[in-house]
């Protein structure tokens, strides 16, 4: 199949997509875009990771650009002011590092370390300025990114973001329990949990500072807007599961749609991959319908007033960026070193992680 010729990595190469992961509809109907701030974004996030001691200097130098964390965000939040995109990109990079720490705490049997981190993150979310100089770099880096994200929109948006991320932290705790106990959730249990561990509503919330407008509840919860948002995130979560299935089987994971299908529905690996592809494709086709409805909704919001015009434009910007999530997620999974399991010395140990007992002091 045609490789994608416009990689955003510093050493662009043609990216071959394996047939089992290929989605021609994404390549044809979801053209990829990139925020013009991206080159500076990559540089500044790399510096931020070093300054906040979130990754060792040698791993930042060797892996940070190739992990493509900034590419993912620069392809999603189009139109965002530079400082907003920078805050989102740094927070996103932090999220990946947090996910890796969570994984290492499970792999190395560190429940006390995870419990401390979980409680500290809850506290930092509610009072981030108090944790800017915390001894654990992961807590201090989180506090820094939250302070910045809280500076763009009113307190009501901040409270919603905090509420949503408290739920994400607790979902990670449930995942910690399941993995340490070897519990594979049923398909329905997994899908509900995945919406939280993938942080569906966090990434959707962040569309609003990118558009410069906190959306009222009646707009965010409108069926047309909410369905488009949900389908864009479900696509990303399930496509991530499809791409990371080999990595997660190698790491004795229990949280993956494919693993739940194999365990509880009796599917073979091949059948599970086929079913995951079906679900992913349904997200795409469903979104194309939901997108039209959401854009019509945005037009209806323009009632001739200044406020109506601004709200209509903000909703349209958010919906257009939901569309961008499909292409940026798709290509991220084929450009990022995060999923190149076959190139690792140990398929269960990503080479870019800090494998030590971080935060134990």
């Amino acid at each position: 199949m045609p490789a994608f010729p416009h990689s955003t990595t510093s050493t662009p190469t043609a990216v071959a997509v394996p047939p089992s992961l290929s989605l021609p509809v994404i390549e044809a109907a979801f053209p990829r875009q990139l925020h013009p701030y991206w080159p500076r974004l990559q540089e500044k996030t790399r510096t931020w990771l070093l300054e906040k001691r979130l990754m060792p200097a040698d791993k930042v130098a060797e892996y940070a650009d190739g992990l493509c964390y900034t590419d993912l965000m620069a392809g999603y939040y189009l139109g965002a002011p530079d400082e907003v995109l920078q805050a989102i990109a740094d927070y996103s990079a932090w999220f990946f590092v947090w996910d890796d720490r969570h994984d290492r705490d499970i792999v190395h049997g560190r429940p006390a370390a995870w419990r401390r981190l979980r409680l500290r993150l809850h506290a930092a979310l509610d009072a981030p300025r108090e944790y800017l100089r915390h001894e654990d770099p992961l807590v201090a880096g989180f506090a820094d990114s939250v302070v910045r994200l809280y500076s763009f929109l009113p307190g009501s948006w901040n409270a919603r973001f905090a509420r949503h991320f408290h739920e994400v932290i607790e979902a990670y705790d449930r995942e910690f329990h399941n993995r340490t106990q070897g519990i594979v959730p049923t398909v329905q249990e997994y899908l509900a949990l995945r919406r939280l561990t993938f942080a569906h509503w966090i990434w959707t919330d962040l569309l609003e500072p990118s558009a410069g407008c906190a959306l009222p509840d009646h707009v965010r919860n409108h069926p047309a807007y909410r369905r488009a948002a949900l389908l864009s995130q479900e696509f990303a979560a399930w496509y991530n599961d499809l791409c990371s299935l080999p990595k997660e089987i190698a790491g004795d994971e229990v949280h993956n749609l494919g693993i739940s299908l194999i365990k509880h529905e009796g599917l073979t690996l091949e059948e599970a991959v086929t079913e995951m592809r079906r679900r992913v494709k349904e997200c795409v086709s469903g979104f194309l319908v939901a997108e039209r409805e959401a854009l019509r909704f945005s037009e209806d919001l323009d009632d001739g007033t200044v406020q109506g015009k601004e709200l209509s434009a903000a909703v349209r910007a958010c919906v257009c960026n939901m569309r961008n999530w499909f292409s940026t997620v798709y290509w991220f999974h084929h450009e990022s070193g995060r999923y190149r399991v076959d190139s690792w010395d140990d398929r269960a140990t990503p080479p870019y992680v800090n494998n030590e007992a971080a935060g134990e002091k």
Side-chain angles (χ1 to χ4, degrees):
M1 62 167 296
F4 185 66
H6 304 299
S7 169
T8 54
T9 59
S10 55
T11 55
T13 56
V15 178
V17 181
S20 63
L21 304 177
S22 170
L23 295 174
V25 64
I26 297 296
E27 298 178 33
F30 291 80
R32 189 179 187 182
Q33 301 182 71
L34 195 68
H35 197 291
Y37 181 65
W38 173 76
R40 183 76 173 131
L41 184 72
Q42 185 183 55
E43 176 187 339
K44 292 191 74 171
T45 294
R46 191 190 317 123
T47 299
W48 186 78
L49 286 168
L50 284 170
E51 289 177 348
K52 299 301 176 184
R53 296 179 294 123
L54 289 167
M55 290 176 68
D58 60 332
K59 293 190 182 296
V60 170
E62 186 170 357
Y63 297 109
D65 288 357
L67 289 169
C68 301
Y69 296 158
T70 56
D71 307 39
L72 182 64
M73 296 296 108
Y76 185 16
Y77 297 102
L78 273 292
D82 292 354
E83 65 272 19
V84 172
L85 184 60
Q86 188 66 64
I88 292 173
D90 290 350
Y91 167 74
S92 171
W94 173 88
F95 202 116
F96 280 110
V97 175
W98 176 50
D99 185 74
D100 292 334
R101 169 85 73 85
H102 176 260
D103 176 72
R104 294 297 93 187
D105 281 349
I106 292 168
V107 169
H108 295 296
R110 301 193 292 247
W114 164 248
R115 190 178 308 113
R116 279 195 298 274
L117 177 58
R118 167 179 157 247
L119 295 175
R120 288 166 177 172
L121 293 179
H122 277 305
L125 187 56
D126 290 332
R129 292 188 183 279
E130 296 179 16
Y131 289 83
L132 291 172
R133 291 181 173 80
H134 195 275
E135 62 182 2
D136 185 341
L138 203 64
V139 176
F142 177 64
D144 178 81
S145 63
V146 170
V147 165
R148 291 155 64 199
L149 291 173
Y150 282 179
S151 70
F152 300 122
L153 293 177
S156 58
W157 184 91
N158 297 347
R160 186 197 336 142
F161 180 93
R163 184 174 70 253
H164 285 161
F165 201 74
H166 280 306
E167 293 174 347
V168 171
I169 295 168
E170 286 306 293
Y172 264 70
D173 190 53
R174 292 199 293 279
E175 182 174 313
F176 191 99
H177 171 76
N178 285 348
R179 286 184 62 187
T180 54
Q181 299 299 315
I183 298 170
V184 178
T186 66
V187 172
Q188 290 308 310
E189 289 170 343
Y190 174 75
L191 295 178
L193 183 61
R194 185 60 163 148
R195 290 178 180 177
L196 295 172
T197 58
F198 196 81
H200 281 25
W201 302 117
I202 290 293
W203 307 118
T204 302
D205 286 338
L206 290 169
L207 291 167
E208 295 171 50
S210 299
C213 179
L215 299 180
D217 288 349
H218 76 274
V219 172
R220 291 189 307 103
N221 294 327
H222 189 282
Y225 183 88
R226 193 167 179 85
R227 179 161 175 74
L230 179 61
L231 285 169
S232 73
Q233 293 297 325
E234 298 278 56
F235 165 81
W238 299 348
Y239 192 69
N240 175 271
D241 279 5
L242 184 63
C243 293
S244 61
L245 186 57
K247 166 188 170 184
E248 293 181 344
I249 288 176
D252 293 324
E253 251 283 15
V254 298
H255 286 89
N256 185 291
L257 177 55
I259 293 172
S260 287
L261 288 166
I262 292 167
K263 171 72 174 179
H264 294 288
E265 304 294 330
L267 273 60
T268 64
L269 175 59
E270 184 178 28
E271 290 169 340
V273 168
T274 298
E275 172 62 12
M276 293 168 77
R277 283 181 58 85
R278 184 190 68 79
R279 290 175 182 245
V280 166
K281 289 178 180 178
E282 283 190 351
C283 285
V284 179
S285 59
F287 175 80
L288 292 172
V289 175
E291 177 188 36
R292 290 194 293 272
E293 296 173 353
L295 290 174
R296 279 197 297 270
F297 170 56
S298 74
E299 294 171 1
D300 293 342
L301 290 169
D302 187 354
D303 57 5
T305 66
V306 172
Q307 183 181 19
K309 187 178 183 64
E310 290 177 349
L311 190 56
S312 173
V315 169
R316 184 175 186 83
C318 291
V319 173
C320 288
N321 277 338
M322 291 173 195
R323 162 176 276 273
N324 290 332
W325 196 219
F326 287 84
S327 58
T328 195
V329 162
Y330 182 77
W331 292 112
F332 168 72
H333 282 86
H334 304 298
E335 293 180 352
S336 174
R338 194 171 178 87
Y339 303 99
R340 294 178 187 158
V341 180
D342 292 338
S343 68
W344 301 352
D345 292 337
D346 177 357
R347 289 171 61 89
T349 305
Y352 49 81
V353 300
N354 180 358
N355 210 33
E356 299 171 0
E360 286 286 270
K361 295 180 181 178

